[in-house]
């Protein structure tokens, strides 16, 4: 496939990949300056943006282009899920080396388009430029009925702390990928979770609709890094039980469940007298109580031998990682 | 000033810089997953995003940090002006080297915050990460009364072609900056226009409100590159008169007026029988008729000696520039 050499040709690629995609509520504007969007009147608009950068968030020679396309949208959509909202459309900022405007771009767009369909989130516009490295930012616009968004700040002492799914699985998948057995391990669920994460949209919406979650966020940087954000916003602490953390195999290191990033599971809190209303699984996805919110503004971990220790952020922070 | 080392500390910098900025219609979400925004019911929402990358769009050692902050927002807001809309809020994706999270970031935020106030466009959220190079994407959300947005596609043969302001000035400013006389030439209006461009919001809104512009866009890549987009969208051609192009000095090369980028002036078309309704200046800004739309789908330039030649894109295209 020939590589388009102008920005316009690249926009053309987008138009071709997303033909017929926009819904009636969205005036697509790939060839215009801005997109037009008509939210309805009882809804709140949600806005979120996320970097997805070569070297920082993915590796050019390890991550298939279609996974890069899927994941850059999935992680931004996950922020909408984390508040209980519904994604509507997205903007893509893409910088590419000229060498990647052919086959790589085509595969990338396939993954992106597949994610766009899966999440019912239409491409609304974007900006492309040339760069030696692959740089991506995705902005997602979502909606939620007025007043229903679940913030990080609503947790109170005594609330149960829950997570969806299994923790640390995506990090395990990344380790496999780094060891270089990418294609043969496609069927491996950890690798699949790392490459093609599924934002927990249905669960987020259900928790918001039923007013079950008092606070919520998604787990992108790892529990030990993300939970402090929720605690700080809620001006509370938490006690987490190591024995309760959902791991794929009991033999998996506790470290992974506490610190592994990229899971895009939901972390949420539920009032003690509502805990019985939560099912064990939601559409096949396990919901696990891993501890409770406390008054004292610190985060404790009860290890499996019963000892208490301070849980320190050990997950991923792009600014800390290089000290 | 000490340099924040974690993403959270950097978000704190944003919160400090923009304290008190959000309006009632915007639930700010710097510490949350997504921003919430309540557009009113008779408005259309506009969405646009723009890269602003070190090396491609600015030079780390030549461009003052506050100009980088101003300009990254100004150029995205200009896309809203180009459709006649009003900016409401923006999201910032910022990647920075650790060495730049101190003084550079403080200056950057000063410029950004000054632009945010000047354009009445509030910070709604963002994403920061560490990177060796300075990378910026800005997403602006704007509004316009339903059905009033001026698209690129509305120009018809016979319409007059107009531009606001002076063409090529920003490119002249960039040349001065590159020659390394940055500080001493601060008062130079060309340099000021290059560093602190002013999106033509009031003019854009006025043209949309009065239904005077049949098509409109902003000049970011230079007239010879941008005009073909408008012509293609409108399925028409244009005849441009070299003698009419507004230049700061008659001695300035025609090349600059045709191909200089970064002016962020408005290019718009007006029906022949409405041309008399356009003032010569709008709030001090010259409005100049530079030619007219034609049936034949090509763009001609009549040079000052009366000869016709095809006008080819000579402005800035990030994908073409490296061939």
């Amino acid at each position: 496939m020939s590589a388009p050499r102008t920005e316009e040709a690249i926009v053309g690629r987008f138009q071709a990949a997303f033909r017929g995609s926009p819904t009636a509520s969205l005036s697509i504007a790939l060839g215009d300056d801005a997109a037009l969007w008509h939210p309805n009147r009882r809804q709140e608009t949600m806005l979120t943006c996320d970097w997805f950068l070569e070297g920082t968030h993915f590796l050019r020679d390890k991550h298939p282009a279609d996974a890069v396309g899927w994941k850059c949208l999935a992680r931004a959509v996950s922020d909408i899920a984390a508040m209980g909202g519904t994604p509507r459309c997205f903007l893509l900022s893409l910088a590419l080396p000229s060498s990647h405007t052919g086959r790589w771009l085509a595969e990338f767009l396939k993954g992106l388009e597949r994610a766009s369909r899966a999440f019912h989130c239409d491409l609304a516009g974007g900006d492309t430029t040339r760069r030696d490295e692959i740089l991506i930012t995705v902005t997602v616009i979502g909606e939620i009925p007025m007043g229903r968004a679940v913030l990080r700040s609503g947790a109170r002492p005594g609330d149960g702390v829950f997570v969806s799914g299994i923790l640390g699985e995506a990090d395990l998948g990344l380790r496999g990928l780094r060891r270089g057995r990418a294609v043969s391990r496609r069927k491996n669920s950890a690798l699949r979770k790392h490459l093609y994460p599924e934002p927990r949209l249905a669960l987020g919406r259900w928790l918001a609709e039923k007013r079950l979650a008092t606070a919520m966020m998604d787990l992108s940087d790892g529990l030990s890094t993300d939970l402090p954000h929720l605690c700080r916003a809620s001006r509370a602490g938490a006690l987490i039980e190591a024995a309760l953390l959902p791991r794929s195999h009991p033999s998996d290191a506790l470290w992974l469940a506490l610190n592994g990033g990229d899971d895009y599971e939901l972390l949420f809190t539920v009032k003690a007298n509502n805990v019985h209303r939560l099912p064990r699984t939601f559409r096949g996805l396990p919901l696990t109580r891993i501890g409770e919110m406390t008054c004292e503004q610190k985060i404790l971990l009860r290890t499996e031998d019963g000892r208490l220790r301070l849980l320190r952020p050990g997950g991923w922070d792009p600014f800390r990682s290089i000290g």
Side-chain angles (χ1 to χ4, degrees), chain A:
Chain A
M1 185 177 299
S2 75
R5 299 212 151 213
T6 65
E7 184 170 352
E8 200 183 337
I10 290 183
V11 169
R13 283 282 168 89
F14 281 102
Q15 285 169 323
F18 286 84
R19 188 157 292 156
S21 151
T23 60
S25 68
L26 183 71
S27 309
I28 205 159
L30 276 169
D32 226 302
D33 292 290
L36 297 175
W37 187 56
H38 328 206
N40 81 43
R41 57 190 67 177
R42 287 177 303 275
Q43 300 290 103
E44 279 186 311
T45 305
M46 305 169 97
L47 310 163
T48 181
C49 63
D50 257 325
W51 281 115
F52 202 55
L53 302 173
E54 174 179 356
T56 307
H57 302 100
F58 68 95
L59 304 166
R60 193 195 292 201
D61 58 342
K62 296 280 187 188
H63 286 85
D66 79 311
V68 174
W70 174 281
K71 195 166 175 176
C72 72
L73 182 57
R75 58 205 302 275
V77 161
S78 179
D79 284 330
I80 302 290
M83 299 179 88
T86 300
R88 292 296 183 207
C89 61
F90 72 100
L91 300 169
L92 175 71
S93 302
L94 177 65
L96 277 186
S98 297
S99 57
H100 280 56
T101 56
R103 179 187 291 276
W104 192 94
L105 180 59
E107 287 298 310
F108 168 83
L109 288 174
K110 257 188 225 166
L112 184 66
E113 202 271 338
R114 206 161 53 81
S116 163
R117 267 186 295 120
F119 313 146
H120 302 286
C121 184
D122 295 319
L123 178 65
D127 187 23
T128 60
T129 195
R130 199 205 71 83
R131 194 83 181 172
D132 289 339
E133 294 170 304
I134 304 168
L135 312 174
I136 303 166
T137 312
V138 171
T139 300
V140 174
I141 293 87
E143 279 188 317
I144 189 161
M146 202 64 75
R148 284 294 173 93
V150 184
L151 308 181
R152 294 179 181 176
S153 54
R156 295 294 167 261
D159 288 1
V161 178
F162 287 79
V163 293
S164 65
I166 305 296
L167 299 187
E169 218 176 6
D171 203 310
L172 205 62
L174 174 61
R175 282 151 198 252
L177 190 71
R178 280 206 159 125
R179 285 194 300 266
R181 278 168 283 165
V183 178
S184 66
R185 295 187 63 171
R186 266 284 175 94
K187 285 172 199 159
N188 178 315
S189 81
L191 182 60
R192 208 165 49 233
K193 186 158 176 183
H194 171 72
L195 293 178
Y196 307 99
E198 309 245 7
R200 303 308 187 189
L201 285 166
L203 174 63
R205 269 196 299 259
W206 184 78
L207 289 167
E209 205 177 285
K210 301 292 180 193
R211 297 187 190 269
L212 276 171
T214 52
M216 186 154 63
M217 69 183 296
D218 68 335
L219 290 170
S220 53
D221 298 338
L223 180 67
S224 66
T225 299
D226 290 328
L227 179 57
H229 293 297
L230 188 146
C231 287
R232 205 170 301 114
S234 294
R235 294 176 192 193
L239 171 62
I240 300 301
E241 308 280 351
L244 299 179
L245 294 172
R247 309 183 222 173
S248 52
H249 299 290
S251 64
D252 284 354
L254 176 64
W255 190 95
L256 269 182
L258 288 172
N259 302 322
D262 260 5
D263 277 325
Y264 303 105
E265 295 295 348
L266 293 182
L267 169 69
F268 57 97
T269 55
V270 177
K271 267 193 209 322
N273 58 12
N274 272 336
V275 164
H276 71 277
R277 294 174 57 198
L278 265 197
R280 294 256 171 129
T281 62
F282 177 86
R283 302 188 188 175
L285 184 69
L287 305 182
T288 310
R289 187 181 162 284
I290 60 168
E292 70 171 50
M293 298 300 291
T294 56
C295 295
E296 217 184 340
Q297 289 186 38
K298 60 189 180 190
I299 302 175
L300 296 173
L301 178 76
R302 192 177 349 244
T303 56
E304 287 175 81
D305 59 9
R307 276 186 288 189
L308 287 178
R309 65 174 179 86
L310 270 179
L311 181 61
R312 293 186 197 283
W316 192 79
D317 181 318
F319 278 96
R320 204 188 44 229
S321 62
I322 49 94

